[in-house]
């Protein structure tokens, strides 16, 4: 009788309630769950409190008040990827809850909610994964779905909320968050800091940083920013005004372009040692990597340009990503493409002497090709059923192919119409969410072009075309081929160089078909498609044209044309159409005469990749060392000398060259005008230790004593273990990396893995490949978004052998149902290894 009563009572309670089916509460944040919550949850606010202890190993306690509206009584599913025991108390509308905890979710029963305003109060112990705790500072990094590892929340990008935050931290610590400081008070060696309410933000953009930081403030035209950092060297601290100037310039440019004033209360930045990314666009607390921001005393043009582009990239995100945010992380590229595209535009007035078309060609295309040419290629827009895989969406396709495609879009529309459409887009979705379809719908109003059909190929399909020249009697054709056999045609304009005798001319060909006939070119001697960076794909000239190009690189007077010629030759080297020795010889012949610093650095990078990815003779190695050493001694400019020496440090092998590098490191007396930094000497120490094992411990001890900054000293101590001469020590170190707590600082961990798998020790390191792959799914679960790809690349980059390739292939064969997004990362990273092994086998 009792059971009957309670069953009846339960049914009466559920009248007017909606119960959510349990299949929504699967691990992660499914798209189905997110879509349901977007319909039902509104007017969302978080009131957060965290107590930060002195010691890193002590737990962080937290409280969160979550207020929101529901259209009716119904089950509420919160996300919390931590142990159930970390939830201490849950109240719903002031009453203790009979919640359930399952599959990384906190489930509130419908009968505890009301139609209209609801408030949850939760006391919890914060998760550590995304707190990035160090001895005397910590920072949160919650992209893409890591807010749920820190506190219970609705962790999806299209449920924007207003946040208020209070922190209790040790006295003397600085604290910064998304919103301005509201009040602070000190008592008994502790500081309570309260921040104002934020504008509407997605959970992945919520952030705070606290710890032992220096703070410097800057102002320009009534705008104020603060820079938080831990740098102790005066030379690097002196760069802060220039960093601030570039922030101000980027903000001003974006405001002018969008016609929208900076949409958030403040812009502060925090420069962090060992930060996982180059930067992260938290409003009011943008995080930057110290090595990208604090440049050596004599920086190269590439380093200066790179810092400015990074600052511009994160600043562009304030409008594209923060102000208007993608609905779901399958469209994460829509924020990254704008950030990279506009960053390239923003730095132009800061560097008037730089060839910015060359910079874009050099910056975007090779990086995009590095993934697009592989069996692991992916579309710009990828399918994403659950946010627990969102980190795997990121990659070179998103960051570098997408801006190329965006430039195609601008050219199709025209600059002014594109700009008007973008302004409309931002105003239409202010402080809200939009997807690529929403953007195309708006842009379509400003052009007669069929953007929907065009974007279907470039955005939704993976891979890039092979565009080959085919001569047939007196006819010449450009043939498009889909490497994945889908019969896809990529519509684009392609530049073609036609050479006859001593004269040449350029065609602009509109490729809309798989076969395009070229008229009036049957009598030319050589045909080079993809000329001057016009066109995207693997361009395959005929054999005679390739041979001609190899011998005439220096004759391309336009740096853009020289760069594209080298890129075409490199792609054909990778595809087996150009012999590595011939390409290397052409590069080494051109290097001493190259005056453009951007192109010079590209030639050096191709030298390094050719030596490391190909079978080259002892004679070719010696010539490469001689050329690079010669340029290090007598380059026309200090930047040329430095670039050549840094390239040399990646490939030197002979005893004579090793002795010369050791002399420079030991005496700290480089060649005249070769301006080396502390980072260069650290690099030398690592590389010399591998080559001179009998001097290893002496080299490491001396170099460690040369480092004065405590954060960089910790980094050196962490990485130096990987070059220990004892194989048993290295084996023990590798096994330690299989535990998450030993790989907390991901860039340092990748350096360790890279040195453990050093090319000169690859035979001893073969045993590391299989366990590195076996743990990759855990790496994804416990690491940040770039860590899985960086982990597997750091392991495989040093290997070039049939045995290493077999180890990867066997792993993939034994795991036929391996998650596709993660498998792509393996295939992308293993591509040079597979190509090397295939050439050796044949």
């Amino acid at each position: 009788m009792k059971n009957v009563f309670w069953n009846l009572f339960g049914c009466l309670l559920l009248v007017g309630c909606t119960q959510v089916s349990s299949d929504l509460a699967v691990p992660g944040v499914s798209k189905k769950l997110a879509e349901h919550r977007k319909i039902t949850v509104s007017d969302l606010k978080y009131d957060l409190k965290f107590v930060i202890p002195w010691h890193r190993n002590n737990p962080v306690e937290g409280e969160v008040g979550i207020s929101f509206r529901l259209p009716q009584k119904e089950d509420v599913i919160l996300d919390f990827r931590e142990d159930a025991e970390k939830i201490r108390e849950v109240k719903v509308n002031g009453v203790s809850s009979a919640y359930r905890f399952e599959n990384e979710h906190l489930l509130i029963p419908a009968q505890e909610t009301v139609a209209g305003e609801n408030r949850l109060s939760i006391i919890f112990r914060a998760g550590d994964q995304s707190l990035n705790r160090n001895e005397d500072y910590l920072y949160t990094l919650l992209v893409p779905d890591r807010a749920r590892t820190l506190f219970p929340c609705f962790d999806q990008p299209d449920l924007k909320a207003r946040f208020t935050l209070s922190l209790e931290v040790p006295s003397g610590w600085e604290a910064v968050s998304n919103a301005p400081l509201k009040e602070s008070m000190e008592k008994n060696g502790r500081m309570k800091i309260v921040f104002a309410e934020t504008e509407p933000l997605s959970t992945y953009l919520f952030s705070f940083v606290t710890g032992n930081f220096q703070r410097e403030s800057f102002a320009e035209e009534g705008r104020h920013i603060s820079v938080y950092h831990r740098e102790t060297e005066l030379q690097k601290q002196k760069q802060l005004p220039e960093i601030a100037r570039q922030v101000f310039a980027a903000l001003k440019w974006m405001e002018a372009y969008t016609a929208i004033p900076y949409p958030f209360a403040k812009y502060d930045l925090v420069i962090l040692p060992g930060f996982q990314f180059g930067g992260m666009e938290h409003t009011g607390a943008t995080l930057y990597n110290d090595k990208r921001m604090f440049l050596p005393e004599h920086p190269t043009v590439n380093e200066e340009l790179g810092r400015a582009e990074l600052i511009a990239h994160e600043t562009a995100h304030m409008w594209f990503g923060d102000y208007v945010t993608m609905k779901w992380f399958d469209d994460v590229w829509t924020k990254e493409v704008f950030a990279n595209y506009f960053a390239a535009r923003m730095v132009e007035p800061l560097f008037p002497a730089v060839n910015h078309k060359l910079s874009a060609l050099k910056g975007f295309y090779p990086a995009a090709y590095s993934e697009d040419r592989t069996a692991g290629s992916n579309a710009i827009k990828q399918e994403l059923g659950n946010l627990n895989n969102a980190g795997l969406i990121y990659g070179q396709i998103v960051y570098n192919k997408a801006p190329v495609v965006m430039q195609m879009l601008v050219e199709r529309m025209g600059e002014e119409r594109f700009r008007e459409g973008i302004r409309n887009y931002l105003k239409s979705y202010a402080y809200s969410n939009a997807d690529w379809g929403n953007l195309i719908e708006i842009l379509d109003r400003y052009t007669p072009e069929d953007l929907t059909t065009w974007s279907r190929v470039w955005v939704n399909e993976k891979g890039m075309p092979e565009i080959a020249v085919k001569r047939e009697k007196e006819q010449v054709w450009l043939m498009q081929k889909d490497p994945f056999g889908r019969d896809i045609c990529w519509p684009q304009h392609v530049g073609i160089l036609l050479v006859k005798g001593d004269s040449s001319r350029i065609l602009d060909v509109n490729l809309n078909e798989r076969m395009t006939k070229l008229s009036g070119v049957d009598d030319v001697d050589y045909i080079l498609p993809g000329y001057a960076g016009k066109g995207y794909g693997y361009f395959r000239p005929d054999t005679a044209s390739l041979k001609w190009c190899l011998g005439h690189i220096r004759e391309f007077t336009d740096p853009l044309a020289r760069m594209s010629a080298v890129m075409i030759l490199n792609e054909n080297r990778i595809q087996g159409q150009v012999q590595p020795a011939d390409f290397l010889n052409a590069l080494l012949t051109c290097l001493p005469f190259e005056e453009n610093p951007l192109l010079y650095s590209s030639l050096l990078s191709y030298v390094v990749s050719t030596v490391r990815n190909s079978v080259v003779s002892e004679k070719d190695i010696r010539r490469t060392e001689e050329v690079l050493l010669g340029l290090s001694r007598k380059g026309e400019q200090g930047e040329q000398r430095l670039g050549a020496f840094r390239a040399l440090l990646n490939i030197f092998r002979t005893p004579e060259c090793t002795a010369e590098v050791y002399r420079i490191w030991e005496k700290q007396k480089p060649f005249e005008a070769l301006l080396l930094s502390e980072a260069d000497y650290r690099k030398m120490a690592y590389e010399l230790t591998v080559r001179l094992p009998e001097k290893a411990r002496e080299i490491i001890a001396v170099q460690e004593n040369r480092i004065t900054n405590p954060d960089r000293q910790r980094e050196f101590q962490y990485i130096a273990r990987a070059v220990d001469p004892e194989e048993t020590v290295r084996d023990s170190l590798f096994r330690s990396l299989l535990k998450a707590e030993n790989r907390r600082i991901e860039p340092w961990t990748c350096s360790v893995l890279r040195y453990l798998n050093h090319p000169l020790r690859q035979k001893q390191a073969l045993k590391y490949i299989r366990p590195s792959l076996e743990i990759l799914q855990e790496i994804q679960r416990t690491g940040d978004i770039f860590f899985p790809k960086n982990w597997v690349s750091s392991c495989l980059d040093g290997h070039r052998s049939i045995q290493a390739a077999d180890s990867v292939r066997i792993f993939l064969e034994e795991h036929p149902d391996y998650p596709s997004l993660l498998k792509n990362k393996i295939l992308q990273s293993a591509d040079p290894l597979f190509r090397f092994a295939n050439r050796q086998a044949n």
Side-chain angles (χ1 to χ4, degrees):
M1 186 69 186
K2 181 177 178 181
N3 287 338
V4 172
F5 170 78
W6 282 110
N7 288 339
L8 178 60
F9 180 69
C11 291
L12 291 172
L13 279 176
L14 291 175
V15 174
C17 301
T18 300
Q19 287 190 305
V20 180
S21 60
S22 60
D23 65 344
L24 293 181
V26 297
V29 180
S30 70
K31 192 170 186 179
K32 189 175 180 181
L33 171 61
E35 289 171 344
H36 172 81
R37 293 194 302 207
K38 179 60 179 174
I39 295 171
T40 57
V41 175
S42 61
D43 295 336
L44 182 59
K45 292 185 179 182
Y46 295 96
D47 182 7
L48 282 155
K49 300 176 183 178
F50 293 99
V51 179
I52 311 298
W54 270 105
H55 298 292
R56 186 180 71 188
N57 294 330
N58 292 339
V60 172
E61 304 294 344
E63 297 181 33
V64 61
I66 310 174
S67 62
F68 55 94
R69 297 186 66 83
L70 294 173
Q72 57 190 350
K73 294 166 67 72
E74 66 170 62
D75 289 347
V76 173
I77 302 176
L78 291 171
D79 312 318
F80 191 53
R81 206 186 87 182
E82 288 295 330
D83 295 335
E85 293 74 22
K86 289 188 176 181
I87 300 290
R88 304 300 177 81
E89 178 183 273
V90 179
K91 290 185 177 181
V92 181
N93 298 319
V95 178
S96 292
S97 173
Y99 70 92
R100 301 196 324 275
F101 190 92
E102 60 184 56
N103 291 333
E104 306 173 351
H105 296 288
L106 195 156
L107 283 70
I108 308 295
Q111 57 266 33
E112 295 181 0
T113 67
V114 297
E117 182 76 21
N118 288 268
R119 181 172 177 83
L120 309 182
S121 299
I122 305 172
I123 300 175
F124 62 96
R125 176 165 288 176
D128 250 4
Q129 179 176 347
S130 301
L131 277 171
N132 298 283
R133 300 175 73 179
N134 293 270
E135 292 299 333
D136 60 349
Y137 70 97
L138 64 81
Y139 60 92
T140 64
L141 184 59
L142 307 181
V143 63
D145 67 329
R146 301 301 168 86
R148 64 194 181 98
T149 69
L150 181 61
F151 63 96
C153 58
F154 301 104
D155 200 6
Q156 59 190 76
D158 61 347
L159 277 182
K160 289 194 170 185
R162 294 183 181 271
F163 292 81
T164 55
L165 171 68
S166 66
L167 298 174
E168 185 185 304
V169 302
S171 292
W173 280 21
E174 293 279 0
V176 58
S177 188
N178 305 97
L181 179 68
K182 186 176 180 181
E183 60 178 326
S184 64
M185 57 203 79
E186 187 173 7
K187 184 177 180 181
N188 299 328
R190 304 284 293 171
M191 181 79 72
K192 183 179 180 182
I193 302 169
V194 180
F195 296 94
E197 186 178 73
T198 69
E199 297 82 5
L201 297 177
S202 300
T203 43
Y204 80 89
L205 291 169
F206 169 73
S207 182
F208 65 87
V209 180
T210 183
N212 185 12
F213 288 90
Q214 299 181 60
R215 175 186 176 187
E216 293 199 35
S217 296
F218 301 88
E220 182 178 294
E221 297 179 359
R223 174 175 279 144
H224 299 265
I225 64 171
S226 291
V227 182
Y228 298 80
H229 68 93
R230 291 172 56 84
E231 185 52 62
T232 58
E233 289 186 16
L234 184 60
Q235 177 267 327
K236 289 183 166 61
Q237 292 178 2
K238 287 181 178 179
Q239 299 176 40
L240 290 171
E242 175 61 18
I243 290 171
R245 185 183 76 85
Q246 292 182 4
V247 171
F248 287 129
L251 288 168
K252 189 173 182 179
W253 193 97
M254 286 300 301
E255 288 179 331
Y257 189 93
T258 63
I260 297 172
Y262 178 64
F264 300 98
K266 70 182 180 82
Y267 187 124
D268 290 342
L269 54 149
V270 187
I271 303 175
L272 294 162
F275 184 55
Q276 296 94 310
F277 311 161
M280 178 59 204
E281 66 270 18
H282 306 128
T283 61
T286 300
L287 307 186
Y288 288 98
N289 178 281
D290 61 334
K291 290 181 180 178
R292 297 288 304 276
M293 297 294 276
F294 290 124
L295 305 183
E297 189 172 359
H298 303 283
T300 65
V301 170
N302 276 320
E303 288 169 333
E304 291 187 299
L305 196 59
R307 178 175 67 185
E309 288 175 341
L310 174 61
I311 289 171
H313 176 105
E314 304 306 335
T315 304
H317 270 315
M318 300 299 138
W319 284 261
F320 297 96
D322 298 3
Y323 184 57
V324 177
T325 309
M326 65 276 160
K327 293 178 180 177
W328 190 241
F329 267 89
D330 59 349
D331 263 320
V332 67
W333 76 279
T334 58
K335 74 183 182 76
E336 298 302 339
V337 66
F338 282 119
N340 259 0
Y341 174 76
F342 284 121
R345 300 278 304 276
M346 275 186 266
V347 299
E348 291 182 14
L350 299 177
F351 295 85
V354 168
N355 183 331
H356 289 282
K357 287 186 177 180
L358 175 63
S359 178
L361 180 64
K362 162 190 166 66
F364 294 141
Y365 286 71
Y369 289 166
S370 71
E371 291 186 359
D372 224 8
R373 74 168 75 96
T374 74
S377 173
N378 55 261
I380 292 176
K381 183 182 174 74
Q382 302 174 66
E383 292 294 323
L384 181 66
N386 194 306
L387 285 186
N388 58 15
N389 287 317
L392 298 175
I393 296 291
Y394 291 80
Q396 302 293 359
I397 302 296
V398 162
Y399 281 97
N400 292 296
K401 181 180 180 178
V404 174
V405 173
M406 183 61 69
Q407 181 58 44
M408 293 180 185
L409 175 61
V410 175
E411 290 171 359
R412 282 179 172 266
M413 292 188 64
E415 176 63 43
E416 287 306 313
R417 286 181 291 183
F418 175 76
R419 184 174 181 171
E420 289 303 310
I422 289 300
R423 288 179 172 182
N424 186 344
Y425 165 77
L426 289 172
K427 291 174 182 176
S428 298
Y429 296 100
Y431 297 111
S432 186
N433 302 81
D435 60 21
W436 175 246
N438 298 137
L439 174 60
I440 287 295
E441 182 183 357
I442 288 176
L443 295 181
D444 256 333
R445 304 171 195 167
Y446 294 84
T447 178
E449 294 277 345
D450 182 1
L451 299 182
T452 302
T453 301
W454 168 83
S455 73
R456 189 176 299 128
V457 172
W458 282 103
V459 175
N460 294 338
E461 299 291 350
K462 67 179 181 179
M464 62 183 185
E466 175 186 316
I467 300 173
V469 175
K470 183 178 181 181
R471 293 177 182 256
E472 214 173 57
K473 295 182 180 179
E474 296 182 355
Q475 296 181 330
V476 180
W477 300 81
L478 280 188
M479 313 287 291
Q480 276 205 55
K481 178 183 176 182
D482 176 8
F484 293 98
R486 299 158 300 178
D487 240 11
I488 289 173
C489 177
W490 285 262
Q492 61 176 314
H493 285 264
V494 173
I496 301 177
L497 177 67
L498 305 171
V499 180
K500 181 173 177 59
D502 294 331
S503 63
S504 63
R505 58 192 174 97
I506 301 168
L507 287 182
D508 186 312
V509 178
N510 187 11
L511 294 187
N512 286 309
E513 305 291 339
R514 281 179 287 281
M515 295 178 61
T516 302
K517 185 179 179 181
L518 304 183
S519 301
V521 301
D522 53 297
D523 63 337
V524 301
D525 299 323
Y526 310 111
I527 302 174
L528 196 67
Y531 180 76
K534 188 75 172 180
Y536 180 91
Y538 163 39
F539 295 100
R540 185 174 174 177
D542 60 86
T543 302
S545 298
L546 277 174
K547 186 176 180 180
W548 173 86
C549 188
L550 274 168
H552 292 77
I553 296 173
R554 286 176 54 197
E555 297 175 20
F556 292 90
T557 56
D558 178 7
L560 202 65
R562 282 203 306 285
M563 181 71 205
S564 65
V566 173
M567 285 168 48
I568 291 166
L569 289 170
N570 183 63
E571 286 302 307
N572 279 276
R573 172 191 68 82
I574 291 169
Q575 300 289 349
Q577 302 302 311
V578 170
Q579 290 301 311
D582 294 338
F583 184 53
L584 182 61
N585 179 65
L587 295 173
L588 295 175
T589 301
C590 292
L591 263 172
F593 302 96
E594 183 54 62
E595 297 179 352
N596 186 289
L598 297 179
L599 187 45
Y600 181 83
S601 68
S602 289
L603 294 178
L604 288 171
S605 70
Y606 285 134
V607 166
V608 172
S609 64
T610 302
V611 170
R612 294 191 66 168
N613 295 325
S614 312
V615 176
V616 290
S617 67
E618 183 69 21
K619 180 182 176 181
D620 287 332
I621 289 293
R622 286 188 176 275
R623 189 195 170 200
T624 302
E625 290 180 345
E626 288 169 3
V627 170
L628 296 180
L629 270 175
L631 289 169
S632 302
R633 286 191 183 97
K634 298 180 180 179
E636 290 296 319
Q637 302 170 356
E639 182 170 332
Q640 281 187 324
R641 298 183 181 202
L642 184 58
F645 189 74
R646 287 175 174 172
L648 179 70
L649 292 183
N650 286 297
I651 54 96
F652 71 101
R653 299 182 192 174
T654 66
E656 297 85 353
C657 192
T658 300
E660 186 72 337
V661 173
Y662 180 76
R663 181 198 65 78
I664 292 172
W665 172 84
E666 182 186 33
K667 304 296 184 184
Q668 293 186 282
K669 290 184 177 180
F671 309 129
E672 183 181 356
L674 178 59
L675 304 172
L676 300 178
S677 67
E678 182 195 276
D680 294 314
Y681 282 102
R682 292 200 307 269
K683 170 76 169 176
M684 277 188 272
Y686 297 140
E687 295 294 339
L688 286 168
T689 299
V690 174
R691 290 161 176 82
L692 302 172
E694 70 280 4
K695 295 180 180 290
R697 292 193 169 85
E698 174 194 346
I699 292 171
I700 294 303
V702 170
Q703 186 61 43
E704 185 177 333
N705 287 332
R706 292 175 177 176
I707 302 169
T708 57
N709 179 278
D711 289 326
R712 283 192 287 279
Q713 196 170 63
R714 283 195 307 122
E715 177 187 2
F716 183 79
Q717 292 165 348
Y718 183 88
I719 294 172
R721 303 171 299 163
V723 292
D724 193 278
E726 296 294 331
E727 188 174 354
T728 55
V729 173
R730 301 197 301 273
D731 290 348
S732 177
L733 174 58
F734 175 76
R735 288 193 297 271
S736 76
L737 296 183
L738 303 181
K739 298 179 180 179
E741 62 267 23
N742 295 324
R743 50 177 192 259
R744 290 185 306 105
I745 303 180
E746 294 173 3
W748 299 1
T749 299
C750 288
S751 293
V752 167
L753 197 58
R754 214 172 292 121
Y755 280 112
L756 286 172
N757 292 274
H758 194 282
L760 298 181
R761 286 177 172 165
Q762 55 180 301
K763 288 184 179 179
Q764 300 100 305
L766 274 170
K767 58 192 167 190
Y768 302 149
I769 294 178
R770 180 67 185 229
S772 294
L773 297 175
E774 288 173 343
I775 201 174
L776 191 55
Q777 286 181 280
E778 184 187 332
I779 294 292
Q780 179 203 352
R781 186 179 63 81
T782 59
D784 280 298
I785 56 179
F786 301 116
F787 198 30
K789 173 68 183 303
N790 290 343
W791 170 273
V792 70
S793 292
S794 297
C795 175
L796 298 181
D797 279 352
H799 290 276
R800 294 295 178 267
S801 69
I802 292 175
Q803 296 92 327
D806 286 344
S807 185
V808 179
R809 287 193 177 108
I810 290 169
F811 174 83
L812 293 174
E813 288 168 3
E814 291 177 355
H815 297 80
D817 298 323
Y818 201 72
S820 60
L821 291 175
L822 203 55
K823 181 180 179 180
N824 282 344
K825 302 302 180 187
I826 297 175
L827 292 172
Q828 291 164 8
S829 300
D831 187 70
L833 172 59
F834 287 162
R835 291 179 189 273
F836 181 95
N838 289 340
R839 284 192 294 269
Q840 289 294 94
N842 296 327

